[in-house]
Amino acid sequence: MAIVYNFSAGPAVMPKEVLEKVQRELLSYKNSGMSVMEISHRSSLFADIQKNAEGNLRKLMNIPDEYDVLFLQGGATLQFTMAPMNLAINKKKIDFVDTGHWAQRAIEEARLVDGIEVTQITSGADSKYTSLPEIDDSLQEDADYVHITLNNTIEGTAFKIVPTFKEVPIIGDMSSNILGQRYNVTDFGMIYAGAQKNIGPAGLTVVIIRHDLVEKSPDLPAMLSYKKLVAKNSTLNTPPVFAIYCAGLVFEWLLAQGGVDEMEKRNRKKSKLLYDYLDSSSVFQSPVAIESRSLTNIPFVTGNAELDKQFIALANDNNLVGLKGHRLVGGMRASLYNAFPIEGVEKLITVMEKFELEHKEVD
Ligand SMILES: *Cc1c(COP(=O)(O)O)cnc(C)c1O
């Protein structure tokens, strides 16, 4: 089998060792004679899988005891609705930091929740979201929480430092850089992430939430209620058993590799290679302001849609797949998640250099 480097933004590359382990255990999990896909979510086999997954995630992210960990479904997108319903309950106001597409999606969904007032306290729209907006305490209004998208998967920007907003909790969408760089959980009231970018297969959403916020949340239909889901330890109904199992294996893999700090080191090295090349190239450029650049999602362009297309075709011929940029921004995008090996970045740059030599004259 040829080596394929998968730059897709999500679902995305998973560690090969994890996939091999899944393969080895697929037909008979722990000598049970059953696949993980076939075991009961009420069995002790699954209870152990979930307990270990949660324990390892707590270790990786230093999650304190006063935070609950939930394994849910509905993607990050359902959290755009659940967070407002559960947490915007006193002032019924949410402040949003508008950093692009996913922040906008979160804003749109919050607006649909009855009786909630939504404010964009700052926006990167002026820069077409190629840089992050300035944030300071004075921006904060009298809201139940502030919502921030930590890593903007499409635009390729990321917050390195989490802003503080006095007493108001921060709810963070960490879908595309959870476990890829160090953040302090205690800076947040809640963190959520769809699994299919930096964790595992689609179908799982991780929610990390401070317990006092759970306690205060109102009575809601069960599947929309953090309180009821926490009370049932995420198994109020059938959880995504296979996705949780795979996520658990990824967490084990991350610990064996050296944890989040080691991942951040590798992600810095991988992204620096590509950014350094982009900043020196006469054909390719990064549209993103240097201080706002993401470690995990790196958009780049030639400035010519036809050349972009030719490059994507050449990359595909070289087994570099998933590089087509998001339809909203065009160009190319390299997603360098935890499981993406540095060799793939080196190969990408080699192919870009070759393309550059052939197209230098074209303007
Ligand atoms: C992919 C993504 C989402 C949407 O995730 P789903 O799990 O598909 O709902 C939300 N926010 C960010 C930052 C993302 O990258």
Side-chain angles (χ1 to χ4, degrees), residues 9 74-78 80 102 149-154 173-176 192-197 204-205 337:
T77 303
L78 185 58
F80 298 164
W102 289 115
T149 313
L150 277 306
N151 186 82
N152 296 282
T153 323
I154 294 173
D173 180 353
M174 223 180 256
S175 291
S176 46
Y192 64 93
Q196 69 277 14
K197 281 150 190 165
L204 169 67
T205 312
Y337 295 123

PDB file of all heavy atoms in Angstrom, residues 9 74-78 80 102 149-154 173-176 192-197 204-205 337, ligand 1:
ATOM      1  N   ALA A   9      -9.143  18.322   6.860  1.00  0.00           N
ATOM      2  CA  ALA A   9      -9.472  19.089   8.075  1.00  0.00           C
ATOM      3  C   ALA A   9     -10.400  18.309   8.996  1.00  0.00           C
ATOM      4  O   ALA A   9     -10.513  18.619  10.179  1.00  0.00           O
ATOM      5  CB  ALA A   9     -10.113  20.414   7.694  1.00  0.00           C
ATOM      6  N   GLY A  74     -24.017  14.409  18.344  1.00  0.00           N
ATOM      7  CA  GLY A  74     -24.542  15.667  17.802  1.00  0.00           C
ATOM      8  C   GLY A  74     -23.469  16.633  17.335  1.00  0.00           C
ATOM      9  O   GLY A  74     -23.783  17.713  16.833  1.00  0.00           O
ATOM     10  N   GLY A  75     -22.207  16.251  17.479  1.00  0.00           N
ATOM     11  CA  GLY A  75     -21.119  17.090  16.987  1.00  0.00           C
ATOM     12  C   GLY A  75     -20.946  18.365  17.790  1.00  0.00           C
ATOM     13  O   GLY A  75     -21.722  18.657  18.706  1.00  0.00           O
ATOM     14  N   ALA A  76     -19.908  19.108  17.421  1.00  0.00           N
ATOM     15  CA  ALA A  76     -19.708  20.418  18.046  1.00  0.00           C
ATOM     16  C   ALA A  76     -20.930  21.291  17.782  1.00  0.00           C
ATOM     17  O   ALA A  76     -21.310  22.119  18.607  1.00  0.00           O
ATOM     18  CB  ALA A  76     -18.449  21.070  17.497  1.00  0.00           C
ATOM     19  N   THR A  77     -21.564  21.056  16.648  1.00  0.00           N
ATOM     20  CA  THR A  77     -22.706  21.893  16.257  1.00  0.00           C
ATOM     21  C   THR A  77     -23.851  21.838  17.265  1.00  0.00           C
ATOM     22  O   THR A  77     -24.498  22.850  17.516  1.00  0.00           O
ATOM     23  CB  THR A  77     -23.198  21.487  14.849  1.00  0.00           C
ATOM     24  OG1 THR A  77     -22.090  21.609  13.946  1.00  0.00           O
ATOM     25  CG2 THR A  77     -24.329  22.370  14.371  1.00  0.00           C
ATOM     26  N   LEU A  78     -24.096  20.683  17.859  1.00  0.00           N
ATOM     27  CA  LEU A  78     -25.172  20.631  18.857  1.00  0.00           C
ATOM     28  C   LEU A  78     -24.817  21.473  20.088  1.00  0.00           C
ATOM     29  O   LEU A  78     -25.702  22.008  20.754  1.00  0.00           O
ATOM     30  CB  LEU A  78     -25.490  19.181  19.264  1.00  0.00           C
ATOM     31  CG  LEU A  78     -26.676  19.016  20.217  1.00  0.00           C
ATOM     32  CD1 LEU A  78     -27.962  19.603  19.638  1.00  0.00           C
ATOM     33  CD2 LEU A  78     -26.897  17.549  20.566  1.00  0.00           C
ATOM     34  N   PHE A  80     -23.519  24.309  19.977  1.00  0.00           N
ATOM     35  CA  PHE A  80     -23.922  25.698  19.666  1.00  0.00           C
ATOM     36  C   PHE A  80     -25.320  25.977  20.235  1.00  0.00           C
ATOM     37  O   PHE A  80     -25.681  27.109  20.490  1.00  0.00           O
ATOM     38  CB  PHE A  80     -23.965  25.938  18.145  1.00  0.00           C
ATOM     39  CG  PHE A  80     -22.644  25.783  17.425  1.00  0.00           C
ATOM     40  CD1 PHE A  80     -22.615  25.636  16.045  1.00  0.00           C
ATOM     41  CD2 PHE A  80     -21.434  25.801  18.111  1.00  0.00           C
ATOM     42  CE1 PHE A  80     -21.412  25.516  15.355  1.00  0.00           C
ATOM     43  CE2 PHE A  80     -20.224  25.673  17.430  1.00  0.00           C
ATOM     44  CZ  PHE A  80     -20.223  25.529  16.053  1.00  0.00           C
ATOM     45  N   TRP A 102     -16.976  29.249  12.019  1.00  0.00           N
ATOM     46  CA  TRP A 102     -17.562  28.439  13.092  1.00  0.00           C
ATOM     47  C   TRP A 102     -18.122  29.304  14.211  1.00  0.00           C
ATOM     48  O   TRP A 102     -19.140  28.980  14.818  1.00  0.00           O
ATOM     49  CB  TRP A 102     -16.575  27.394  13.614  1.00  0.00           C
ATOM     50  CG  TRP A 102     -16.366  26.308  12.592  1.00  0.00           C
ATOM     51  CD1 TRP A 102     -15.206  26.006  11.928  1.00  0.00           C
ATOM     52  CD2 TRP A 102     -17.365  25.381  12.088  1.00  0.00           C
ATOM     53  NE1 TRP A 102     -15.427  24.975  11.044  1.00  0.00           N
ATOM     54  CE2 TRP A 102     -16.733  24.568  11.121  1.00  0.00           C
ATOM     55  CE3 TRP A 102     -18.714  25.188  12.346  1.00  0.00           C
ATOM     56  CZ2 TRP A 102     -17.408  23.567  10.428  1.00  0.00           C
ATOM     57  CZ3 TRP A 102     -19.393  24.185  11.658  1.00  0.00           C
ATOM     58  CH2 TRP A 102     -18.738  23.391  10.712  1.00  0.00           C
ATOM     59  N   THR A 149     -13.984  30.740  19.860  1.00  0.00           N
ATOM     60  CA  THR A 149     -13.522  29.613  19.047  1.00  0.00           C
ATOM     61  C   THR A 149     -11.997  29.628  19.102  1.00  0.00           C
ATOM     62  O   THR A 149     -11.360  30.524  18.541  1.00  0.00           O
ATOM     63  CB  THR A 149     -14.014  29.765  17.592  1.00  0.00           C
ATOM     64  OG1 THR A 149     -15.410  30.092  17.623  1.00  0.00           O
ATOM     65  CG2 THR A 149     -13.789  28.492  16.803  1.00  0.00           C
ATOM     66  N   LEU A 150     -11.412  28.652  19.813  1.00  0.00           N
ATOM     67  CA  LEU A 150      -9.974  28.703  20.076  1.00  0.00           C
ATOM     68  C   LEU A 150      -9.149  28.568  18.808  1.00  0.00           C
ATOM     69  O   LEU A 150      -8.152  29.261  18.631  1.00  0.00           O
ATOM     70  CB  LEU A 150      -9.563  27.593  21.061  1.00  0.00           C
ATOM     71  CG  LEU A 150      -9.748  27.854  22.552  1.00  0.00           C
ATOM     72  CD1 LEU A 150      -9.059  29.131  22.958  1.00  0.00           C
ATOM     73  CD2 LEU A 150     -11.192  27.896  22.951  1.00  0.00           C
ATOM     74  N   ASN A 151      -9.562  27.655  17.943  1.00  0.00           N
ATOM     75  CA  ASN A 151      -8.819  27.454  16.690  1.00  0.00           C
ATOM     76  C   ASN A 151      -9.821  27.511  15.543  1.00  0.00           C
ATOM     77  O   ASN A 151     -10.804  26.767  15.544  1.00  0.00           O
ATOM     78  CB  ASN A 151      -8.117  26.101  16.715  1.00  0.00           C
ATOM     79  CG  ASN A 151      -7.223  25.902  15.500  1.00  0.00           C
ATOM     80  OD1 ASN A 151      -6.088  26.375  15.466  1.00  0.00           O
ATOM     81  ND2 ASN A 151      -7.720  25.216  14.496  1.00  0.00           N
ATOM     82  N   ASN A 152      -9.554  28.412  14.623  1.00  0.00           N
ATOM     83  CA  ASN A 152     -10.493  28.619  13.519  1.00  0.00           C
ATOM     84  C   ASN A 152     -10.045  27.787  12.319  1.00  0.00           C
ATOM     85  O   ASN A 152      -9.171  28.188  11.551  1.00  0.00           O
ATOM     86  CB  ASN A 152     -10.609  30.111  13.239  1.00  0.00           C
ATOM     87  CG  ASN A 152     -11.200  30.823  14.441  1.00  0.00           C
ATOM     88  OD1 ASN A 152     -12.412  30.780  14.657  1.00  0.00           O
ATOM     89  ND2 ASN A 152     -10.349  31.407  15.285  1.00  0.00           N
ATOM     90  N   THR A 153     -10.677  26.649  12.216  1.00  0.00           N
ATOM     91  CA  THR A 153     -10.299  25.561  11.328  1.00  0.00           C
ATOM     92  C   THR A 153     -10.235  25.990   9.863  1.00  0.00           C
ATOM     93  O   THR A 153      -9.393  25.510   9.109  1.00  0.00           O
ATOM     94  CB  THR A 153     -11.351  24.438  11.474  1.00  0.00           C
ATOM     95  OG1 THR A 153     -11.744  24.381  12.845  1.00  0.00           O
ATOM     96  CG2 THR A 153     -10.806  23.103  11.039  1.00  0.00           C
ATOM     97  N   ILE A 154     -11.137  26.876   9.475  1.00  0.00           N
ATOM     98  CA  ILE A 154     -11.231  27.280   8.072  1.00  0.00           C
ATOM     99  C   ILE A 154     -10.279  28.438   7.779  1.00  0.00           C
ATOM    100  O   ILE A 154      -9.559  28.431   6.786  1.00  0.00           O
ATOM    101  CB  ILE A 154     -12.694  27.646   7.740  1.00  0.00           C
ATOM    102  CG1 ILE A 154     -13.539  26.366   7.840  1.00  0.00           C
ATOM    103  CG2 ILE A 154     -12.806  28.311   6.367  1.00  0.00           C
ATOM    104  CD1 ILE A 154     -15.032  26.583   7.698  1.00  0.00           C
ATOM    105  N   ASP A 173     -14.908  26.669  22.035  1.00  0.00           N
ATOM    106  CA  ASP A 173     -14.977  25.645  21.004  1.00  0.00           C
ATOM    107  C   ASP A 173     -13.536  25.282  20.639  1.00  0.00           C
ATOM    108  O   ASP A 173     -12.817  26.073  20.046  1.00  0.00           O
ATOM    109  CB  ASP A 173     -15.729  26.196  19.784  1.00  0.00           C
ATOM    110  CG  ASP A 173     -15.836  25.180  18.648  1.00  0.00           C
ATOM    111  OD1 ASP A 173     -15.215  24.098  18.735  1.00  0.00           O
ATOM    112  OD2 ASP A 173     -16.549  25.471  17.664  1.00  0.00           O
ATOM    113  N   MET A 174     -13.120  24.077  21.044  1.00  0.00           N
ATOM    114  CA  MET A 174     -11.745  23.624  20.844  1.00  0.00           C
ATOM    115  C   MET A 174     -11.681  22.474  19.843  1.00  0.00           C
ATOM    116  O   MET A 174     -10.766  21.655  19.870  1.00  0.00           O
ATOM    117  CB  MET A 174     -11.185  23.177  22.207  1.00  0.00           C
ATOM    118  CG  MET A 174      -9.777  23.640  22.495  1.00  0.00           C
ATOM    119  SD  MET A 174      -9.216  23.074  24.117  1.00  0.00           S
ATOM    120  CE  MET A 174      -9.343  24.582  25.068  1.00  0.00           C
ATOM    121  N   SER A 175     -12.683  22.428  18.950  1.00  0.00           N
ATOM    122  CA  SER A 175     -12.830  21.258  18.075  1.00  0.00           C
ATOM    123  C   SER A 175     -11.565  20.903  17.298  1.00  0.00           C
ATOM    124  O   SER A 175     -11.257  19.738  17.114  1.00  0.00           O
ATOM    125  CB  SER A 175     -13.958  21.496  17.072  1.00  0.00           C
ATOM    126  OG  SER A 175     -15.196  21.509  17.749  1.00  0.00           O
ATOM    127  N   SER A 176     -10.839  21.915  16.829  1.00  0.00           N
ATOM    128  CA  SER A 176      -9.729  21.577  15.925  1.00  0.00           C
ATOM    129  C   SER A 176      -8.351  21.732  16.545  1.00  0.00           C
ATOM    130  O   SER A 176      -7.349  21.546  15.848  1.00  0.00           O
ATOM    131  CB  SER A 176      -9.837  22.384  14.633  1.00  0.00           C
ATOM    132  OG  SER A 176     -10.113  23.733  14.912  1.00  0.00           O
ATOM    133  N   TYR A 192     -15.655  22.443  24.542  1.00  0.00           N
ATOM    134  CA  TYR A 192     -16.245  21.343  23.773  1.00  0.00           C
ATOM    135  C   TYR A 192     -15.467  21.139  22.483  1.00  0.00           C
ATOM    136  O   TYR A 192     -14.798  22.041  21.973  1.00  0.00           O
ATOM    137  CB  TYR A 192     -17.736  21.583  23.503  1.00  0.00           C
ATOM    138  CG  TYR A 192     -18.063  22.783  22.647  1.00  0.00           C
ATOM    139  CD1 TYR A 192     -18.213  22.656  21.277  1.00  0.00           C
ATOM    140  CD2 TYR A 192     -18.240  24.041  23.222  1.00  0.00           C
ATOM    141  CE1 TYR A 192     -18.547  23.758  20.491  1.00  0.00           C
ATOM    142  CE2 TYR A 192     -18.562  25.133  22.441  1.00  0.00           C
ATOM    143  CZ  TYR A 192     -18.711  24.991  21.077  1.00  0.00           C
ATOM    144  OH  TYR A 192     -19.028  26.083  20.301  1.00  0.00           O
ATOM    145  N   ALA A 193     -15.574  19.908  21.972  1.00  0.00           N
ATOM    146  CA  ALA A 193     -14.837  19.569  20.741  1.00  0.00           C
ATOM    147  C   ALA A 193     -15.475  18.369  20.067  1.00  0.00           C
ATOM    148  O   ALA A 193     -15.705  17.340  20.708  1.00  0.00           O
ATOM    149  CB  ALA A 193     -13.377  19.252  21.072  1.00  0.00           C
ATOM    150  N   GLY A 194     -15.765  18.500  18.784  1.00  0.00           N
ATOM    151  CA  GLY A 194     -16.112  17.332  17.977  1.00  0.00           C
ATOM    152  C   GLY A 194     -14.860  16.475  17.858  1.00  0.00           C
ATOM    153  O   GLY A 194     -13.752  16.996  17.745  1.00  0.00           O
ATOM    154  N   ALA A 195     -15.025  15.150  17.904  1.00  0.00           N
ATOM    155  CA  ALA A 195     -13.851  14.271  17.989  1.00  0.00           C
ATOM    156  C   ALA A 195     -13.092  14.124  16.674  1.00  0.00           C
ATOM    157  O   ALA A 195     -11.902  13.811  16.677  1.00  0.00           O
ATOM    158  CB  ALA A 195     -14.277  12.890  18.476  1.00  0.00           C
ATOM    159  N   GLN A 196     -13.761  14.356  15.557  1.00  0.00           N
ATOM    160  CA  GLN A 196     -13.226  13.895  14.269  1.00  0.00           C
ATOM    161  C   GLN A 196     -12.043  14.684  13.732  1.00  0.00           C
ATOM    162  O   GLN A 196     -11.562  14.406  12.648  1.00  0.00           O
ATOM    163  CB  GLN A 196     -14.346  13.866  13.233  1.00  0.00           C
ATOM    164  CG  GLN A 196     -14.887  15.224  12.796  1.00  0.00           C
ATOM    165  CD  GLN A 196     -15.944  15.791  13.742  1.00  0.00           C
ATOM    166  OE1 GLN A 196     -16.104  15.324  14.856  1.00  0.00           O
ATOM    167  NE2 GLN A 196     -16.657  16.813  13.307  1.00  0.00           N
ATOM    168  N   LYS A 197     -11.565  15.677  14.500  1.00  0.00           N
ATOM    169  CA  LYS A 197     -10.391  16.410  14.030  1.00  0.00           C
ATOM    170  C   LYS A 197      -9.134  15.947  14.748  1.00  0.00           C
ATOM    171  O   LYS A 197      -8.256  15.380  14.139  1.00  0.00           O
ATOM    172  CB  LYS A 197     -10.617  17.900  14.177  1.00  0.00           C
ATOM    173  CG  LYS A 197     -11.490  18.389  13.033  1.00  0.00           C
ATOM    174  CD  LYS A 197     -12.361  19.543  13.327  1.00  0.00           C
ATOM    175  CE  LYS A 197     -13.331  19.745  12.174  1.00  0.00           C
ATOM    176  NZ  LYS A 197     -14.429  20.617  12.520  1.00  0.00           N
ATOM    177  N   LEU A 204     -18.648  11.466  18.008  1.00  0.00           N
ATOM    178  CA  LEU A 204     -18.399  11.720  19.428  1.00  0.00           C
ATOM    179  C   LEU A 204     -18.077  13.200  19.620  1.00  0.00           C
ATOM    180  O   LEU A 204     -17.361  13.790  18.808  1.00  0.00           O
ATOM    181  CB  LEU A 204     -17.208  10.871  19.890  1.00  0.00           C
ATOM    182  CG  LEU A 204     -16.631  11.176  21.281  1.00  0.00           C
ATOM    183  CD1 LEU A 204     -17.625  10.835  22.374  1.00  0.00           C
ATOM    184  CD2 LEU A 204     -15.326  10.400  21.496  1.00  0.00           C
ATOM    185  N   THR A 205     -18.626  13.771  20.670  1.00  0.00           N
ATOM    186  CA  THR A 205     -18.281  15.141  21.068  1.00  0.00           C
ATOM    187  C   THR A 205     -17.852  15.120  22.518  1.00  0.00           C
ATOM    188  O   THR A 205     -18.560  14.557  23.360  1.00  0.00           O
ATOM    189  CB  THR A 205     -19.498  16.087  20.948  1.00  0.00           C
ATOM    190  OG1 THR A 205     -20.098  15.888  19.674  1.00  0.00           O
ATOM    191  CG2 THR A 205     -19.089  17.530  21.105  1.00  0.00           C
ATOM    192  N   TYR A 337      -2.773  17.860  12.226  1.00  0.00           N
ATOM    193  CA  TYR A 337      -3.205  17.441  13.557  1.00  0.00           C
ATOM    194  C   TYR A 337      -2.154  16.556  14.216  1.00  0.00           C
ATOM    195  O   TYR A 337      -1.156  16.178  13.592  1.00  0.00           O
ATOM    196  CB  TYR A 337      -4.547  16.704  13.446  1.00  0.00           C
ATOM    197  CG  TYR A 337      -5.682  17.583  12.956  1.00  0.00           C
ATOM    198  CD1 TYR A 337      -6.406  17.245  11.821  1.00  0.00           C
ATOM    199  CD2 TYR A 337      -6.020  18.759  13.632  1.00  0.00           C
ATOM    200  CE1 TYR A 337      -7.453  18.048  11.364  1.00  0.00           C
ATOM    201  CE2 TYR A 337      -7.069  19.561  13.177  1.00  0.00           C
ATOM    202  CZ  TYR A 337      -7.775  19.207  12.052  1.00  0.00           C
ATOM    203  OH  TYR A 337      -8.802  20.004  11.613  1.00  0.00           O
TER     204      TYR A 337
HETATM  205  C1  LIG B   1     -15.552  21.165  12.575  1.00  0.00           C
HETATM  206  C2  LIG B   1     -15.862  22.237  13.530  1.00  0.00           C
HETATM  207  C3  LIG B   1     -17.148  22.388  14.061  1.00  0.00           C
HETATM  208  C4  LIG B   1     -18.305  21.519  13.645  1.00  0.00           C
HETATM  209  O1  LIG B   1     -18.124  20.258  14.149  1.00  0.00           O
HETATM  210  P1  LIG B   1     -19.241  19.099  13.992  1.00  0.00           P
HETATM  211  O2  LIG B   1     -18.734  18.067  14.947  1.00  0.00           O
HETATM  212  O3  LIG B   1     -19.198  18.672  12.557  1.00  0.00           O
HETATM  213  O4  LIG B   1     -20.547  19.662  14.389  1.00  0.00           O
HETATM  214  C5  LIG B   1     -17.348  23.385  14.992  1.00  0.00           C
HETATM  215  N1  LIG B   1     -16.351  24.202  15.383  1.00  0.00           N
HETATM  216  C6  LIG B   1     -15.102  24.086  14.886  1.00  0.00           C
HETATM  217  C7  LIG B   1     -14.037  25.000  15.373  1.00  0.00           C
HETATM  218  C8  LIG B   1     -14.823  23.103  13.952  1.00  0.00           C
HETATM  219  O5  LIG B   1     -13.583  22.988  13.463  1.00  0.00           O
END
